[in-house]
Amino acid sequence: MTTTDPSTRNGVDTATLFATLDAVKAAPEAARFQFRASNEWLSGTHSRSTIDGFFGVGEDRQHARTFHFDADHPAILVGHDNGPTPVEFVLHALATCLTAGLANIAAARGIRLTAVTSTVTGDIDLNGILGLNPAVRNGYEKITVRFTVKGDAPAEKLRALVEQSRARSAVYDILTAQVPVAIEVTTD
Amino acid sequence: MTTTDPSTRNGVDTATLFATLDAVKAAPEAARFQFRASNEWLSGTHSRSTIDGFFGVGEDRQHARTFHFDADHPAILVGHDNGPTPVEFVLHALATCLTAGLANIAAARGIRLTAVTSTVTGDIDLNGILGLNPAVRNGYEKITVRFTVKGDAPAEKLRALVEQSRARSAVYDILTAQVPVAIEVTTD
């Protein structure tokens, strides 16, 4: 990556990153965020979500643009493949969370990255969600992430970036620990 | 929803749905799936995932098309807002999973749905991922799903659809129970 601003490394504005950390240290309430998605059922297993607003640093905010994402089941799972399955979006969320953290941590540590790629696989036995075997869970039995990380640092320092990103990853925590989920229903 | 095929309800081909259940009952191994996403870091907190192939019913398969999704942080979190945050994709995954299940279950129960919408919110204290307070977890503290379900059935039967979808949701299980996540790193 070519940069002209010495405070930018790996595309991370490290001066702003450290200023943000200092600001939150001074006012911890600024770090209370609420993220949101709204969804509309279209037909069968096909639905569409909209992501635009969130709350953070004391006020409601908007993304630079409104994002829309479809999800569906493939034909073999009685859908029409208008989008990935919901569980594939979970793998995407994990990959992107770990990768964003890795780039930030590398920038903070003065390591220039040249390439970061990953593949994430999730093994699932659909006997669970199909209700055919009560001993089988509904969700993934296991998830495996395989990173390839290249940059201007010894292998051990590059591996340590992944480990620190894991230790500070929101999505890794969401998947490996338990999140309370409340569901409310209105019918009129 | 207008249909000409009496076996299709809510856009769900119920004949195929029941045939699929029977096929998996006869050959439980067919239900072993592996879903996959690959990801490439672009710059800063911006990366892009590709979702195309998966394994299921005994062989590797392809989606009808290749899907690409970007994730990033918004400017206030030192990114460039090239996509939603990873944690917003988690909310999308939950909404779409519960909604797909709801439509399938309604079809199986002979209930015609007319509208299903939902909003999902996730509360997170970024003091966790910023490493500023070890007592704060990295992930969501809580997630709340608010459904509005309309269809040709009494309110209690519509509510029961949501409850059964929750009880059979892969993503709900992934978020509320623990999934083992293994991370491997290559540096050359």
Side-chain angles (χ1 to χ4, degrees), chain B residues 22-99:
Chain B
D22 287 341
V24 176
K25 273 182 205 165
E29 279 298 310
R32 293 209 152 269
F33 275 62
Q34 182 182 75
F35 291 105
R36 302 164 184 159
S38 59
N39 181 270
E40 181 179 13
W41 172 63
L42 298 174
S43 179
T45 51
H46 180 204
S47 71
R48 179 171 298 151
S49 296
T50 300
I51 294 171
D52 53 5
F54 60 93
F55 175 90
V57 197
E59 59 187 75
D60 278 318
R61 297 172 182 278
Q62 293 291 312
H63 280 292
R65 63 185 179 89
T66 298
F67 301 107
H68 298 286
F69 302 100
D70 288 23
D72 199 353
H73 289 187
I76 198 163
L77 295 174
V78 202
H80 291 91
D81 223 355
N82 290 294
T85 60
V87 291
E88 287 168 296
F89 279 106
V90 170
L91 305 181
H92 162 64
L94 180 60
T96 57
C97 190
L98 290 169
T99 300

Side-chain angles (χ1 to χ4, degrees), chain B residues 134-169:
Chain B
V136 174
R137 71 179 293 177
N138 294 321
Y140 283 127
E141 298 170 294
K142 67 172 180 179
I143 292 173
T144 304
V145 186
R146 293 182 178 86
F147 266 105
T148 299
V149 181
K150 300 187 183 190
D152 293 346
E156 279 317 294
K157 290 204 171 183
L158 296 176
R159 290 176 181 278
L161 296 176
V162 177
E163 171 49 26
Q164 182 61 18
S165 180
R166 184 201 62 73
R168 284 283 163 246
S169 166

Side-chain angles (χ1 to χ4, degrees), chain A residues 9 13 18 29 41-42 49 59 61 68 72 77 85-86 90-91 95 98 123 136 149 160 165 173-174 178-179 181:
Chain A
R9 192 181 294 120
D13 181 342
F18 290 129
E29 280 297 311
W41 173 63
L42 297 175
S49 295
E59 60 187 73
R61 297 172 183 278
H68 298 286
D72 198 353
L77 295 173
T85 60
V90 170
L91 305 182
L98 290 169
D123 294 308
V136 175
V149 181
S165 180
D173 177 49
I174 287 166
Q178 298 178 308
V179 179
V181 177

Side-chain angles (χ1 to χ4, degrees), chain A residues 3 7 9-10 23 64-65 73 99 122 126-127 131 142 145 152 154 181:
Chain A
T3 62
S7 78
R9 192 181 294 120
N10 301 328
R65 62 185 179 89
H73 288 188
T99 300
L126 300 184
N127 282 291
K142 66 171 180 179
V145 187
D152 292 346
V181 177

Side-chain angles (χ1 to χ4, degrees), chain A residues 44-60:
Chain A
T45 50
H46 181 203
S47 71
R48 180 171 296 151
S49 295
T50 299
I51 295 170
D52 52 6
F54 61 93
F55 176 90
V57 196
E59 60 187 73
D60 278 318

Side-chain angles (χ1 to χ4, degrees), chain A residues 10 31 33 35 37 39 41 44 49 63-64 81 88 92 118 120 122 124 126 137 139 143 145 147 173 178 182 184 186, chain B residues 10 31 33 35 37 39 41 44 49 63-64 81 88 92 116 118 120 122 124 126 137 139 143 145 147 173 178 182 184 186:
Chain A
N10 301 328
F33 275 62
F35 291 105
N39 182 270
W41 173 63
S49 295
H63 280 292
D81 224 354
E88 287 167 297
H92 163 64
S118 59
V120 189
I124 189 167
L126 300 184
R137 71 180 292 177
I143 292 173
V145 187
F147 265 106
D173 177 49
Q178 298 178 308
E184 304 170 4
T186 300
Chain B
N10 301 328
F33 275 62
F35 291 105
N39 181 270
W41 172 63
S49 296
H63 280 292
D81 223 355
E88 287 168 296
H92 162 64
V116 181
S118 59
V120 189
I124 189 166
L126 300 184
R137 71 179 293 177
I143 292 173
V145 186
F147 266 105
D173 176 49
Q178 298 177 307
E184 303 169 5
T186 300

Side-chain angles (χ1 to χ4, degrees), chain A residues 9 14 18 104-112 157 160-162 164-165:
Chain A
R9 192 181 294 120
T14 52
F18 290 129
N104 274 342
I105 294 160
R109 293 183 178 181
I111 296 173
R112 192 178 72 97
K157 290 204 171 184
L161 296 176
V162 176
Q164 183 60 19
S165 180

